Amino acid sequence: MSALILFLAVIAVIVGWWLSQQRLTAKPWLEAGPIDDFPGTDAMTWPAAKVGLGVFLAVAGSLFTLFISAYSMRMNMVDWRTMPVPKVLWFNTGVLVLSSVALQWALMAARRNDIDGVVVGLLAGGASAIAFLAGQLLAWHQLSDAGYFMASNPANAFFYVITAVHGLHLTGGLVALGRTTAGVWRHDTGTAEMRLSVELCTIYWHFLLLVWLVLLGLLTGWTDDFVDICRQLLS
């Protein structure tokens, strides 16, 4: 349960910060500026795309929250047998961090109108994400070879399901990332559209990295240790 509270707190902070950046309280009828900044113009589709992504991330975050809640409650039952965590998961985590950093690099390059830098960042991020997925499959293979099958224990089932759902979200992100990379490579998109596409991919990648770090902490048990340390410091 402590892991669930920690995850919800982190998500709430990030969502609050993200919404504060979207100028949701702005009053465009009181502001002076080009006509493209007002409702009914193409420029208004950019914030709408961000809001759409925000809604999707809220839904995805709720899904992972349910998994975390179920995991936290189920692990206290007598038939729960903790399974070893494959060491390759730590390598996979580092690769996913690199992928997120590469996407952030691409976003910074997009803001500088550096097309070459955008392409390099997107390709590096995509390659690192594919390496992460390959590493997750390797972890599954190692566990199955050691006799830790999905149906043999609730802990095993949760591990396979949680990592599979996260992997599916990352796979979907790779599809969007591939389309963005192809558009930038062929110069099929304008500067504003390119920046938006790269920004949306970057936000999604950071979200998946955050979720994975929480899931890793849950699977390894250090999330509860971290919460206990925080409680001791505050008491």
Side-chain angles (χ1 to χ4, degrees), residues 34-97:
I35 188 171
D36 287 342
D37 293 336
F38 293 94
T41 64
D42 292 339
M44 291 301 295
T45 61
W46 307 136
K50 291 184 180 180
V51 172
L53 176 62
V55 172
F56 176 80
L57 295 185
V59 174
S62 300
L63 175 63
F64 285 109
T65 299
L66 290 175
F67 277 119
I68 293 173
S69 178
Y71 185 98
S72 300
M73 293 185 292
R74 190 66 178 82
M75 67 184 298
N76 295 320
M77 297 186 179
V78 294
D79 61 341
W80 185 274
R81 295 190 299 275
T82 303
M83 63 183 297
V85 177
K87 294 182 179 180
V88 70
L89 291 188
W90 299 105
F91 171 80
N92 297 347
T93 301
V95 171
L96 190 59
V97 170

Side-chain angles (χ1 to χ4, degrees), residues 10-177:
V10 173
I11 290 295
V13 170
I14 292 178
V15 170
W17 172 84
W18 183 81
L19 289 175
S20 68
Q21 305 301 310
Q22 307 308 310
R23 300 177 70 239
L24 296 181
T25 59
K27 301 178 178 59
W29 57 88
L30 297 180
E31 299 178 4
I35 188 171
D36 287 342
D37 293 336
F38 293 94
T41 64
D42 292 339
M44 291 301 295
T45 61
W46 307 136
K50 291 184 180 180
V51 172
L53 176 62
V55 172
F56 176 80
L57 295 185
V59 174
S62 300
L63 175 63
F64 285 109
T65 299
L66 290 175
F67 277 119
I68 293 173
S69 178
Y71 185 98
S72 300
M73 293 185 292
R74 190 66 178 82
M75 67 184 298
N76 295 320
M77 297 186 179
V78 294
D79 61 341
W80 185 274
R81 295 190 299 275
T82 303
M83 63 183 297
V85 177
K87 294 182 179 180
V88 70
L89 291 188
W90 299 105
F91 171 80
N92 297 347
T93 301
V95 171
L96 190 59
V97 170
L98 291 178
S99 182
S100 187
V101 170
L103 265 292
Q104 184 64 37
W105 171 276
L107 177 58
M108 295 171 61
R111 291 172 177 171
R112 299 193 306 266
N113 295 327
D114 180 7
I115 303 299
D116 292 336
V118 173
V119 173
V120 170
L122 293 178
L123 290 176
S128 300
I130 293 174
F132 172 83
L133 293 176
Q136 296 295 80
L137 292 177
L138 176 60
W140 283 13
H141 181 70
Q142 291 176 348
L143 289 173
S144 62
D145 285 348
Y148 294 96
F149 301 106
M150 181 174 182
S152 58
N153 183 264
N156 301 2
F158 267 99
F159 177 87
Y160 284 108
V161 171
I162 287 176
T163 54
V165 172
H166 182 268
L168 288 175
H169 280 77
L170 187 60
T171 301
L174 280 172
V175 175
L177 183 63

Side-chain angles (χ1 to χ4, degrees), residues 71 82 85-86 89-90 213-223 225:
Y71 185 98
T82 303
V85 177
L89 291 188
W90 299 105
L213 292 177
V214 174
L215 294 178
L216 181 65
L218 185 70
L219 296 172
T220 57
W222 62 260
T223 302
D225 296 337

